[in-house]
Amino acid sequence: MTTTPGHSRIDAELQIDEIRGTCEDRAAVVVRCIRGPVRLGARFHRIRHTSVPIDLELAEILFYGRPVDELDPSHTGLVTLRGAGTSLLAPGNKAHGWQIIQGANPSP
């Protein structure tokens, strides 16, 4: 398990593939689960390989158009993130790399 200053663990990572829409504190994003499973309520506190702080909560996961409680590794879904840092999210591509957000699942 990985740790970062001020945060106890990183057990949830999402790769940003496509931004479907954003507003001041909410974003609809197509993601791929890199580390997880990632569960509803997960809190994301950093963008990998940067010192940029974010504070985003995973509010909704749609998998093939249906709401689910978690997204397993290597699966892709449409998620809703809310909180501070939605304007910092950016899609990636194979040539330039993908942005990955890191955080922690809620305690069981």
Side-chain angles (χ1 to χ4, degrees):
M1 186 173 329
T2 307
T3 60
T4 57
H7 299 281
S8 59
R9 69 185 194 279
I10 294 174
D11 63 3
E13 289 185 320
L14 295 175
Q15 172 185 295
I16 307 298
D17 289 338
E18 179 183 347
I19 308 293
R20 291 272 176 98
T22 62
C23 64
E24 187 174 314
D25 66 346
R26 188 174 292 266
V29 183
V30 177
V31 299
R32 181 170 182 248
C33 181
I34 302 299
R35 181 186 292 181
V38 177
R39 296 190 305 272
L40 284 177
R43 302 292 298 211
F44 295 91
H45 51 80
R46 71 180 290 232
I47 298 170
R48 186 198 282 179
H49 303 306
T50 73
S51 60
V52 177
I54 57 174
D55 184 16
L56 297 171
E57 179 181 2
L58 181 56
E60 181 180 42
I61 304 168
L62 296 177
F63 186 66
Y64 288 102
R66 295 191 170 168
V68 295
D69 293 333
E70 64 183 34
L71 189 62
D72 291 323
S74 77
H75 287 114
T76 299
L78 176 63
V79 302
T80 299
L81 298 166
R82 63 179 179 208
T86 57
S87 64
L88 300 171
L89 300 178
N93 59 50
K94 191 172 185 176
H96 295 94
W98 283 270
Q99 186 180 68
I100 295 174
I101 57 174
Q102 299 178 309
N105 281 304
S107 298

